[in-house]
Amino acid sequence: MKVGVIGLGMGRAHLQAYRAFDQAEIVGIADLDEARLKSSAAEYGIGRIFTDYHDLLALPELEAVSVCLPNHLHAPVVIEALQAGKNVLVEKPMARTPAEARSMKEAAEATGRTLGVSMNYRWIVGPDSWYLKHLIDAGRLGEIYYVRAYTLRRRTFPRGHKTWFTQKAVSGGAALMDMGPHLLDLAMWLAGDYVPRQVSGVTRTALMTDTDVDDFGVVLVRMQGGATIYLESTWASFTKPGVGLVVMGTQGGAMLDLNAAQGKRLTLLGADGDTLTEVTPVDIQLPYTPEASIQEHFIRRVSAGQQPETTPARGLAVVQVIDGAYRSSESGRDVVIE
Ligand SMILES: NC(=O)c1ccc[n+]([C@@H]2O[C@H](COP(=O)([O-])OP(=O)(O)OC[C@H]3O[C@@H](n4cnc5c(N)ncnc54)[C@H](O)[C@@H]3O)[C@@H](O)[C@H]2O)c1
């Protein structure tokens, strides 16, 4: 499949993943920044480079494109790309607001093209993530009733640093909007429930200066199927950093430490009679070969005429939770998601 990439910050990781997958061929890239364009073109041997992404979208041979732009450009550029007949993998968060995410979902439905959201952590933290999901799907943890997710940073940018990430009008938010999609996607995937019903959130800018984005956010989500998800996220805080999830089921629990080494991130908790057990799986063997990246997954699904795992509906559900948390924090009340 002939692919392109728009935006060459995180977009360079997309180039790397496409290059590693033999069913993808990179035909062109676009960025306003000529230095980034030239260095990526040289590194990946790409002949067609464009400062105007419309010129990339106009290539008739282009079949799929990764949109890796600042968040305020996700909705307009994704909709243009879909309308140009391209399949699109958009970076997280899908959009700044549920209204934007909904318009992207509707554009995918109207054009019949495939849209995926690059909530890519399950691929990044394999095989541990896949093994945990495999155990949950096999019923080994019983009913999953609680997932606690955390992503804690002491500092994301130096004091006073200006970037589009620190302007709410452009990014839509920070602690929750930036890292929230990854952790909420993982939590909903493990809970097996992508339908949030009610959200209670608190966000604030506690430590960062010269910015209107949140550096602290917590959100409690009641899911349709009865599970509860709790997310704690900081972009700046006086705490020890960490990223992970705690999963509680009626037959067992699990802890996934995303900062630990590959294959050593998982702890399984259970009981053997009256004895409580704690097991670290080592040398994980899966009953299938997982895809190496979300880019490989996306291309495989598009080629097979199937939706990717991280569908527009799931991207929207995540944005609804984050938007609900911001609104709940402002109003001091729970937000019901329709
Ligand atoms: N999945 C992940 O783990 C992950 C990691 C980092 C960032 N992201 C996401 O990727 C997206 C981009 O973030 P980033 O860190 O790469 O930002 P960045 O600022 O480093 O890169 C954005 C690029 O877009 C280019 N650009 C801006 N406007 C443009 C336009 N109109 N036309 C063409 N190019 C334009 C800029 O020149 C820049 O090179 C964001 O949505 C972010 O949330 C995801």
Side-chain angles (χ1 to χ4, degrees), residues 6-12 14 30-34 36 50-53 67-74 77 90-94 118-121 124 163-165 177-179 182 294:
I6 305 176
L8 299 170
M10 185 57 193
R12 284 173 295 198
H14 287 244
D31 199 300
L32 291 176
D33 183 328
E34 291 201 25
R36 281 189 163 183
F50 305 97
T51 47
D52 184 340
Y53 68 83
V67 173
C68 309
L69 293 168
N71 300 348
H72 69 304
L73 295 173
H74 288 187
V77 177
V90 64
E91 262 304 338
K92 50 50 61 179
M94 183 178 177
S118 187
M119 299 185 291
N120 57 339
Y121 265 31
I124 286 188
T163 156
W164 66 264
F165 278 102
M177 187 61 85
D178 181 41
M179 291 307 290
H182 287 308
I294 194 165

